[in-house]
C-alpha cells in the first residue's frame, strides 16, 4: 500500500510540474531578431560585432562596400554567402536558445531559425517574439498595417523538431533556388 501511495504522490507531483511548465510564460528574446531579416551580411556582421562582441573573419565592421556577386546558376556558393551564428552565443539571443541558423540569399538574410529548449505553444512563441498570428503574405496591405506586421518579415513558423524542442523561424522573403530559375535547362 505504501508503494501505491508513493506512486500516486509522485504522479501528482509530476503532473503539477508539467502543468507549471505549460502555464509558464516564455521569456522574450534578449535581442530583437525581427530586425535581422533582409540585412546584408556586412551589416549583420557589424551588428553582431557591436552587440555581441563576436567578430566574423569576413563579415564585420571593417567590411565596406559589400556587394553579393553570386549567381544562383553559376556561383551558388557566393549566392548563399553570409556569416553563421555560433552556437556558443545562442543564449545571448534567448535564454533557452540552443541553436540559431541563418539563411542567406543574394546578399540578404532570407530567414533565421531559433531552436529553444522546451515545448512551447505557438501562442506562447508568438507572444514572446512579438509576432502576429497570420502570415503577412496572406494579409492585405490594410490588414498588415492593422496587425503591425514588420515590413521586413514575410512569414513566420513554429515547429517541434524533436521532443522537448521548439523552433521559431522568421522569413524575410521567399527562398529562390536553382530549380526556381531553371538553371541547367536548355538554352
Amino acid at each position: 500500500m505504501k508503494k501505491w501511495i508513493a506512486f500516486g504522490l509522485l504522479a501528482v507531483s509530476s503532473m503539477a510540474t508539467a502543468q507549471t511548465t505549460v502555464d509558464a510564460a516564455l521569456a522574450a528574446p534578449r535581442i530583437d531578431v525581427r530586425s535581422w531579416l533582409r540585412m546584408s551580411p556586412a551589416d549583420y556582421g557589424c551588428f553582431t560585432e557591436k552587440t555581441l562582441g563576436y567578430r566574423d573573419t569576413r563579415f564585420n565592421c571593417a567590411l565596406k562596400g559589400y556587394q553579393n556577386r553570386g549567381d544562383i546558376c553559376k556561383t551558388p556558393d557566393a549566392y548563399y554567402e553570409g556569416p553563421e551564428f555560433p552556437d556558443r552565443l545562442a543564449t545571448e539571443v534567448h535564454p533557452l536558445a540552443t541553436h540559431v541558423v541563418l539563411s542567406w540569399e543574394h546578399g540578404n538574410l532570407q530567414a533565421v531559425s531559433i531552436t529553444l529548449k522546451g515545448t512551447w505553444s505557438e501562442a506562447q512563441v508568438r507572444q514572446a517574439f512579438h509576432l502576429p498570428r497570420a502570415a503577412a503574405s496572406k494579409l492585405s496591405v490594410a490588414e498588415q498595417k492593422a496587425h503591425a506586421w514588420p515590413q521586413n518579415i514575410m512569414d513566420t513558423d513554429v515547429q517541434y523538431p524533436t521532443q522537448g524542442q521548439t523552433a521559431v523561424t522568421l522569413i524575410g522573403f521567399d527562398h529562390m533556388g536553382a530549380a526556381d530559375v531553371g538553371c541547367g535547362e536548355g538554352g
Side-chain angles (χ1 to χ4, degrees):
M1 174 125 167
K2 287 182 183 179
K3 287 182 183 177
W4 289 107
I5 292 172
F7 178 74
L9 290 174
L10 180 62
V12 168
S13 172
S14 295
M15 287 189 311
T17 301
Q19 189 62 38
T20 302
T21 303
V22 169
D23 292 342
L26 178 62
R30 294 176 171 153
I31 295 174
D32 186 3
V33 295
R34 297 174 307 167
S35 66
W36 295 359
L37 279 298
R38 300 186 189 191
M39 270 188 173
S40 76
D43 290 343
Y44 173 82
C46 191
F47 168 82
T48 59
E49 185 175 346
K50 289 178 177 178
T51 306
L52 302 173
Y54 173 75
R55 189 173 198 273
D56 185 83
T57 55
R58 178 173 175 208
F59 300 102
N60 55 57
C61 293
L63 180 60
K64 303 293 182 217
Y66 171 79
Q67 278 189 296
N68 182 278
R69 302 202 188 284
D71 180 294
I72 189 61
C73 296
K74 297 176 184 171
T75 54
D77 287 347
Y79 181 81
Y80 293 114
E81 74 181 1
E84 293 184 8
F85 194 92
D87 283 343
R88 64 184 166 80
L89 295 176
T91 57
E92 296 295 323
V93 171
H94 191 281
L96 298 176
T98 59
H99 191 60
V100 177
V101 176
L102 307 175
S103 299
W104 299 95
E105 288 188 31
H106 60 72
N108 296 104
L109 185 57
Q110 184 265 336
V112 58
S113 183
I114 302 162
T115 303
L116 304 172
K117 290 183 221 171
T119 303
W120 301 94
S121 72
E122 184 169 347
Q124 289 171 310
V125 171
R126 290 190 180 285
Q127 181 175 1
F129 283 80
H130 304 290
L131 302 173
R133 292 178 191 208
S137 60
K138 297 176 184 152
L139 300 176
S140 69
V141 173
E143 289 173 318
Q144 287 179 36
K145 288 179 182 177
H147 288 87
W149 191 271
Q151 290 184 336
N152 65 326
I153 299 177
M154 185 180 121
D155 204 355
T156 60
D157 189 29
V158 177
Q159 294 188 1
Y160 306 92
T162 63
Q163 186 174 352
Q165 288 186 335
T166 304
V168 57
T169 302
L170 290 76
I171 302 163
F173 53 88
D174 279 333
H175 164 70
M176 184 160 305
D180 297 312
V181 296
C183 294
E185 293 179 6

